[in-house]
Amino acid sequence: MRRSKGMRQMRKRRGFTLTEILVSVLIMGIVMSAVLTLFFSVFKSYEFHQDIMEAKQRGQIALAAIEPVILNAGLGLSPESKDFAEYFAGMLKILPTVDDEKFTVPVQIAGDGKRKTTPETAGIHKDKYAGNELWIVYSVPSGYGVSSPDIEQFVGGTTRTVLIDPTDFASLKNNLSDGSTPTAQNNDLKSWVSFPGSSFPFVVKSDPQGLNSTNRGLQLESRKTQAVHLYDELHYVRAAKISASAGSMSVEYLSGGGKQPVVEGIRDMLCVYDPDGSRTLTVTVLARADTRRPELNIVSVEGWTGPIPDNKYRYAAVSKSWRMRN
């Protein structure tokens, strides 16, 4: 019996068999699994690089924030500890009665492990000073220059008048205090100035508020014999203690303002200084990313030899070195 035309068309349009469907589903599952695995890998790679970038940026911001202080460290100040103790004698902001809080030189390593070669740096920074706090006495440019007709020679313990230009003294008055009394000399760093061409700081003995276009003389006392040179720029003497604790870097300005946070996410800091050799200061900060990831177990960070505070964050160790010019 001959098949009808309709039956022949239905036979040509028959569907997939169960086996063919199962094979198709299996192949599609393998492909989707590979795609998802690739997507997850790309996502994790992005997450990793995002965390590391955040941590590095924090570290770079922290180092950039303290760089102006470091670059002006010891400007116009003798680096010798004996001289330092003599010209700052009685200055309680620099030489307080508590020995552990005293400055001994313009660039000083302090904090935990305040000694030559800490356990964390043994064999790496041999014969250098290392610690997790940085104390600095530095000088800030004022924009005012010496206009005395010749070099003013100071004998230790004497007071002389130095003429200052330009004649708009508003900024200088805001940044200087009268150090004519022992109380002001001992407690207010704003009564101290320095000059890059000199070797020791000076105490301001007159009231800067009285400066004007006619009276341009600033009375200064030098506790050690030295000279002030024509056209040399007056600098404000300041001091700061830089540390990293409680998850952030902070700077304590001893001339006022107290301790101020600089950057969040800085978990620790290592400062290494070689005062007797290359006079190179290296500061390394351990910066962390924003996001805490419970699946992580960070046990070490490249460039960091100390402990890891919280192993559920990604970290970056960021370093910078400066050669002390003063």
Side-chain angles (χ1 to χ4, degrees):
M1 184 177 180
R2 299 179 66 180
R3 294 177 180 172
S4 67
K5 183 177 180 181
M7 291 181 66
R8 288 198 301 269
Q9 288 178 342
M10 287 181 64
R11 187 174 183 84
K12 288 180 182 180
R13 290 198 302 266
R14 69 184 180 86
F16 294 106
T17 65
L18 179 60
T19 303
E20 290 172 333
I21 293 174
L22 291 175
V23 170
S24 300
V25 170
L26 179 61
I27 293 173
M28 185 177 295
I30 293 173
V31 172
M32 289 301 297
S33 176
V35 170
L36 290 175
T37 301
L38 178 61
F39 175 80
F40 184 77
S41 176
V42 170
F43 176 77
K44 281 296 181 183
S45 177
Y46 171 79
E47 180 185 272
F48 170 82
H49 287 95
Q50 183 72 9
D51 284 352
I52 296 300
M53 183 178 68
E54 286 175 352
K56 285 184 176 180
Q57 285 179 341
R58 276 184 165 158
Q60 290 164 355
I61 291 171
L63 294 177
I66 64 175
E67 185 169 46
V69 173
I70 294 173
L71 290 177
N72 288 321
L75 190 61
L77 311 174
S78 170
E80 299 298 327
S81 58
K82 181 177 180 296
D83 292 332
F84 190 90
E86 287 182 12
Y87 58 66
F88 276 129
M91 166 45 76
L92 297 179
K93 291 285 186 179
I94 302 296
L95 303 173
T97 55
V98 181
D99 286 342
D100 288 347
E101 295 297 322
K102 289 182 178 179
F103 283 79
T104 56
V105 286
V107 180
Q108 182 172 331
I109 303 299
D112 296 338
K114 183 178 60 177
R115 66 181 81 89
K116 274 192 177 182
T117 312
T118 64
E120 292 82 7
T121 59
I124 301 174
H125 303 296
K126 189 178 180 182
D127 297 329
K128 299 179 182 179
Y129 289 89
N132 62 356
E133 289 187 25
L134 181 61
W135 297 2
I136 291 183
V137 181
Y138 61 104
S139 299
V140 180
S142 69
Y144 296 90
V146 175
S147 61
S148 298
D150 53 14
I151 295 175
E152 293 286 357
Q153 185 69 39
F154 284 77
V155 177
T158 62
T159 299
R160 298 195 66 173
T161 299
V162 176
L163 300 183
I164 303 294
D165 273 334
T167 56
D168 179 7
F169 294 105
S171 175
L172 189 140
K173 291 177 180 180
N174 289 333
N175 286 282
L176 283 185
S177 298
D178 178 6
S180 58
T181 65
T183 300
Q185 294 176 28
N186 294 345
N187 294 286
D188 193 355
L189 268 174
K190 289 186 176 182
S191 63
W192 289 75
V193 298
S194 67
F195 297 91
S198 303
S199 301
F200 311 104
F202 298 80
V203 180
V204 179
K205 300 294 288 186
S206 58
D207 185 359
Q209 302 303 317
L211 292 173
N212 53 54
S213 58
T214 302
N215 173 31
R216 298 183 291 112
L218 192 64
Q219 290 185 351
L220 304 178
E221 177 191 84
S222 176
R223 294 181 174 178
K224 296 177 74 69
T225 299
Q226 61 177 331
V228 173
H229 300 273
L230 183 64
Y231 306 128
D232 207 353
E233 184 177 5
L234 182 143
H235 285 59
Y236 310 121
V237 175
R238 299 291 184 260
K241 294 182 176 181
I242 304 168
S243 61
S245 61
S248 69
M249 172 181 279
S250 61
V251 180
E252 181 182 0
Y253 295 99
L254 302 187
S255 56
K259 182 176 287 190
Q260 300 179 9
V262 177
V263 184
E264 296 292 330
I266 305 299
R267 298 310 304 262
D268 207 346
M269 179 173 71
L270 176 64
C271 308
V272 180
Y273 184 42
D274 181 12
D276 304 317
S278 64
R279 291 181 55 79
T280 299
L281 170 67
T282 300
V283 178
T284 303
V285 294
L286 181 66
R288 68 163 176 79
D290 280 327
T291 307
R292 192 174 191 273
R293 305 190 186 279
E295 72 276 11
L296 294 180
N297 184 26
I298 304 297
V299 296
S300 64
V301 176
E302 183 179 358
W304 184 257
T305 57
I308 306 301
D310 186 338
N311 62 4
K312 300 304 179 182
Y313 286 94
R314 288 191 173 95
Y315 296 88
V318 185
S319 298
K320 190 163 186 176
S321 297
W322 299 266
R323 192 172 188 278
M324 296 294 98
R325 301 170 297 172
N326 311 307

